[in-house]
Amino acid sequence: DRVRETLRVAIGFSVLWCLLVTAVLLPGGGAVARLFSNEGAVVSLAASYFAIVALTYAPANLMPGWSSAFNAMGMPGRSFAMIVIRWVVLIVPAAVLGGHLAGVTGIFAAMALVNVAGGLGFHFYNRRVMARL
């Protein structure tokens, strides 16, 4: 029960934090980018990234939360598998395909799609795993 409650609170906090970050980056992505570069192309690219990918931060961060939980419960193999699946199996091929089809915007869109599908998929799967434990 303590583990479930801790997961509930941690995941809830993560989602709220990501929504706050998204609320800042969507309208202010260009301003944030200008903190790091004054070059127009860099600012434009970063603002585009924030506009597309920031919307998916909340579901994307479900997987690292579960990964940390499984590490803490002594199941690092499950954590490692999620990371490998997310990056090697999902994000890299999707980004390559997205880049081929639509350039940089396609890469960002692919990342966003994987963030949503992968994050929610891992979340609901891991909830079932926790119910069995």
Side-chain angles (χ1 to χ4, degrees), residues 16-80:
L16 288 175
W17 181 259
C18 289
L19 292 174
L20 175 67
V21 169
T22 299
V24 169
L25 289 177
L26 283 178
V32 170
R34 280 189 287 285
L35 293 172
F36 299 96
S37 176
N38 289 325
E39 191 166 327
V42 172
V43 172
S44 175
L45 192 60
S48 176
Y49 172 87
F50 292 140
I52 296 168
V53 181
L55 289 168
T56 67
Y57 284 168
N61 280 307
L62 292 170
M63 195 278 304
W66 280 105
S67 181
S68 296
F70 285 122
N71 279 332
M73 291 185 288
M75 294 189 261
R78 182 174 295 279
S79 174
F80 178 74

Side-chain angles (χ1 to χ4, degrees), residues 59-108:
N61 280 307
L62 292 170
M63 195 278 304
W66 280 105
S67 181
S68 296
F70 285 122
N71 279 332
M73 291 185 288
M75 294 189 261
R78 182 174 295 279
S79 174
F80 178 74
M82 284 190 295
I83 292 167
V84 169
I85 290 168
R86 179 175 186 220
W87 285 100
V88 177
V89 176
L90 298 174
I91 288 183
V92 170
V96 168
L97 180 61
H100 178 71
L101 295 175
V104 174
T105 302
I107 294 171
F108 295 162

